[in-house]
């Protein structure tokens, strides 16, 4: 292999200010030389969710420091960096602009290549940092804003086979935590309190479980958690409801993953080992990891999760996507701007809104 490329990645699509220096390895994986993530949990805690203007201001205040820290930790100076990759969407436009513009300016003044990265592609490629995975593979992307099943056929070539028709899985965790007053951010606190509860104490709905292929629906589940929470009088009941919610999410994800695996088998005829990667913030959840490993064994898939530091939003995945796109000469247009909506599969139907028929 020719020279190993080293990229700086920048991520500011939501409430994490992140920068990372990543170097490619000769075996197709990557070495993360630094991975700095500054979370804005404190800023948003009192609002129980992300406030875009507050998030954008925090990015502006932190981004230069975070980039410097990523360079220092990697023992690289900016002139050792071969290219810069920044998230250009989807996300909050006021937030995206901060990381994108500083990345573009650094690249311009340093005469380095600049790559605009789709945040969802960053997540989708993230397991390849630590694992040798070849296309095609099946992806479950579960985060605060997105829940999708995709067939990753190649770089820049993704087919969406399922998505949520209402709430994202991470959003359902966050809303449940808010309803039960378990603290912010929601996912990790629901997981923590669910350990103290009995997972079969409440019977909750499994929306569209037997229809709609591997599409997901979670709004009805959240509404039922809200309804049942009104009768709660003790902490134990609260933990039981958290545990039952998490168990219901597991049942939904296992069933829909099984369907997605069948669809993958129908679409891709392959004799080689099939891979299933689970990415995004929710992929950090231990009970979900265990259940998805079980269904993967049953369906004959190798199940791969990124390390937890690469599950939530991070810039290592952005730098890594940048290196791979640069190698394949997949550049976005020079005058491209940031975007709030940017689906990985532009032909996928938009499955939201009233009157939806599945
Ligand atoms: P991301 O959008 O990829 O940054 O992921 C953030 C989302 O992941 C939020 O909705 C979190 O509540 C959720 N999340 C993070 N950790 C966990 C966990 N351990 N269990 C469930 N959800 C989680
Ligand atoms: Mg994300």
């Amino acid at each position: 292999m020719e020279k190993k490329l080293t990229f700086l990645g920048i991520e500011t699509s939501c409430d994490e200010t992140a920068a990372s220096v990543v170097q490619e390895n000769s075996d197709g994986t990557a070495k993360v030389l630094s991975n700095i993530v500054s979370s804005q949990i404190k800023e948003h805690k009192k609002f129980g969710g992300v406030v875009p203007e507050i998030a954008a201001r925090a990015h502006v205040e932190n981004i230069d420091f975070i980039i410097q820290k990523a360079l220092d930790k990697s023992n690289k100076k900016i002139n050792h960096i071969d290219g810069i990759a920044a998230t250009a969407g989807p996300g909050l436009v006021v937030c995206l602009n901060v990381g994108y513009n500083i990345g573009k300016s650094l690249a311009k003044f340093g005469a380095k290549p600049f790559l605009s990265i789709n945040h969802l592609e960053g997540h989708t490629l993230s397991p390849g940092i630590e694992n040798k995975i070849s296309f095609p593979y099946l992806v479950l992307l579960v985060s605060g804003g997105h829940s999708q099943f995709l067939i990753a056929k190649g770089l820049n070539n993704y087919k969406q086979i399922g998505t949520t028709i209402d709430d994202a899985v991470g959003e359902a965790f966050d809303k449940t935590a808010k309803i039960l007053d378990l603290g912010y951010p929601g996912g990790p606190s629901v997981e923590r309190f669910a350990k103290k509860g009995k997972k079969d104490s409440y019977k909750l709905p499994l929306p569209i479980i037997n229809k709609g292929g591997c599409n997901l629906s979670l709004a009805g589940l959240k509404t039922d958690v809200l309804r049942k929470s009104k009768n709660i009088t003790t902490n134990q009941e609260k933990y039981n409801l958290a545990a039952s919610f998490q168990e219901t999410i597991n049942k939904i994800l296992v069933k829909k993953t099984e369907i997605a695996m069948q669809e993958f088998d129908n679409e891709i005829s392959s004799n080689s080992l099939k891979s299933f990667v689970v990415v995004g913030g929710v992929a950090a959840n231990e009970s979900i990891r265990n259940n998805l490993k079980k269904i993967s064994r049953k369906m004959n898939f190798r199940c791969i999760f990124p390390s937890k530091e690469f599950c939530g939003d991070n810039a290592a995945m952005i730098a890594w996507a940048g290196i791979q796109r640069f190698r394949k000469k997949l550049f976005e247009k020079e005058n491209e701007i940031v975007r709030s909506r940017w689906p990985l599969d532009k032909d996928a139907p938009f499955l939201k809104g009233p009157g939806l028929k599945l």
Side-chain angles (χ1 to χ4, degrees), residues 49-247:
V50 178
V51 183
E53 281 70 24
I54 294 178
R57 192 178 313 159
H59 288 311
V60 172
E61 280 166 9
N62 289 325
I63 189 71
D64 50 343
F65 170 74
I66 296 296
I67 291 175
Q68 189 60 57
K69 205 165 159 188
L71 288 169
D72 291 348
K73 181 112 193 284
S74 71
N75 279 324
K76 301 279 180 200
K77 300 255 180 279
I78 191 77
N79 52 337
H80 298 135
I81 299 292
D82 300 306
I84 297 176
T87 307
L92 301 166
V93 165
V94 282
C95 294
L96 287 162
N97 267 327
V98 180
Y100 183 84
N101 288 335
I102 199 165
K104 196 170 180 181
S105 308
L106 273 174
K108 203 86 185 168
F109 288 112
K112 298 177 194 301
F114 176 70
L115 288 104
S116 303
I117 303 297
N118 182 317
H119 179 87
L120 305 176
E121 185 171 53
H123 276 302
T124 297
L125 300 174
S126 64
I129 294 174
E130 302 160 289
N131 303 275
K132 282 167 85 169
I133 314 172
S134 42
F135 295 112
Y137 56 84
L138 179 65
V139 183
L140 169 59
L141 192 166
V142 268
S143 67
H146 302 271
S147 299
Q148 317 179 334
F149 284 102
L150 300 151
I151 299 178
K153 296 185 172 183
L155 207 58
N156 208 31
N157 184 1
Y158 306 96
K159 180 175 179 188
Q160 182 183 299
I161 56 171
T163 186
T164 177
I165 62 167
D166 39 54
D167 294 352
V169 180
E171 192 181 352
F173 269 94
D174 293 334
K175 286 180 177 164
T176 295
K178 206 168 173 180
I179 292 167
L180 298 178
D181 197 22
L182 295 177
Y184 176 84
S189 31
V190 170
E191 180 169 25
R192 200 167 56 249
F193 287 107
K195 290 201 176 91
K196 301 182 182 188
K198 277 186 28 218
K199 60 186 183 186
D200 52 1
S201 20
Y202 289 90
K203 192 168 171 1
L204 297 168
L206 301 156
I208 66 166
I209 197 77
N210 291 317
K211 61 175 181 179
C214 59
N215 289 299
L216 303 158
S217 169
L218 300 166
L221 170 58
K222 170 196 67 190
T223 309
D224 204 40
V225 169
L226 178 63
R227 198 176 302 127
K228 293 198 162 77
S229 71
K230 304 233 191 285
N231 300 322
I232 282 180
T233 51
T234 65
N235 274 340
Q236 188 56 51
E237 283 172 336
K238 204 191 235 193
Y239 305 150
N240 289 346
L241 189 48
S244 304
F245 162 80
Q246 187 174 266
E247 175 66 3

Side-chain angles (χ1 to χ4, degrees), residues 140-356:
L140 169 59
L141 192 166
V142 268
S143 67
H146 302 271
S147 299
Q148 317 179 334
F149 284 102
L150 300 151
I151 299 178
K153 296 185 172 183
L155 207 58
N156 208 31
N157 184 1
Y158 306 96
K159 180 175 179 188
Q160 182 183 299
I161 56 171
T163 186
T164 177
I165 62 167
D166 39 54
D167 294 352
V169 180
E171 192 181 352
F173 269 94
D174 293 334
K175 286 180 177 164
T176 295
K178 206 168 173 180
I179 292 167
L180 298 178
D181 197 22
L182 295 177
Y184 176 84
S189 31
V190 170
E191 180 169 25
R192 200 167 56 249
F193 287 107
K195 290 201 176 91
K196 301 182 182 188
K198 277 186 28 218
K199 60 186 183 186
D200 52 1
S201 20
Y202 289 90
K203 192 168 171 1
L204 297 168
L206 301 156
I208 66 166
I209 197 77
N210 291 317
K211 61 175 181 179
C214 59
N215 289 299
L216 303 158
S217 169
L218 300 166
L221 170 58
K222 170 196 67 190
T223 309
D224 204 40
V225 169
L226 178 63
R227 198 176 302 127
K228 293 198 162 77
S229 71
K230 304 233 191 285
N231 300 322
I232 282 180
T233 51
T234 65
N235 274 340
Q236 188 56 51
E237 283 172 336
K238 204 191 235 193
Y239 305 150
N240 289 346
L241 189 48
S244 304
F245 162 80
Q246 187 174 266
E247 175 66 3
T248 308
I249 291 280
N250 269 294
K251 282 185 188 155
I252 294 170
L253 289 181
V254 166
K255 177 74 197 292
K256 295 294 182 175
T257 297
E258 187 172 3
I259 297 168
M261 287 175 167
Q262 285 158 354
E263 288 192 24
F264 183 92
D265 285 344
N266 290 341
E267 173 124 1
I268 311 279
S269 56
S270 153
N271 295 324
S272 56
L273 185 62
K274 298 170 292 182
S275 296
F276 170 51
V277 310
V278 189
V279 298
V282 182
N285 185 290
E286 282 301 330
S287 73
I288 292 176
R289 284 182 174 233
N290 291 335
N291 280 302
L292 293 180
K293 277 181 201 156
K294 270 189 227 153
I295 187 68
S296 300
R297 269 196 297 276
K298 183 181 152 205
M299 299 295 288
N300 231 356
F301 276 73
R302 175 172 77 131
C303 186
I304 302 166
F305 295 88
S307 293
K308 289 192 183 169
E309 64 174 313
F310 306 129
C311 284
D313 290 346
N314 67 87
M317 67 182 193
I318 303 302
W320 178 227
I323 289 175
Q324 292 178 79
R325 285 193 151 255
F326 180 77
R327 283 266 176 236
K328 295 265 185 231
K329 300 194 169 41
L330 285 168
F331 295 97
E332 289 292 316
K333 287 185 220 77
E334 168 83 352
N335 57 356
E336 215 47 272
I337 52 163
V338 302
R339 296 147 255 198
S340 57
R341 207 177 158 269
W342 185 5
L344 272 187
D345 176 357
K346 62 178 181 358
D347 299 324
F350 187 61
L351 285 183
K352 279 192 177 173
L356 189 66

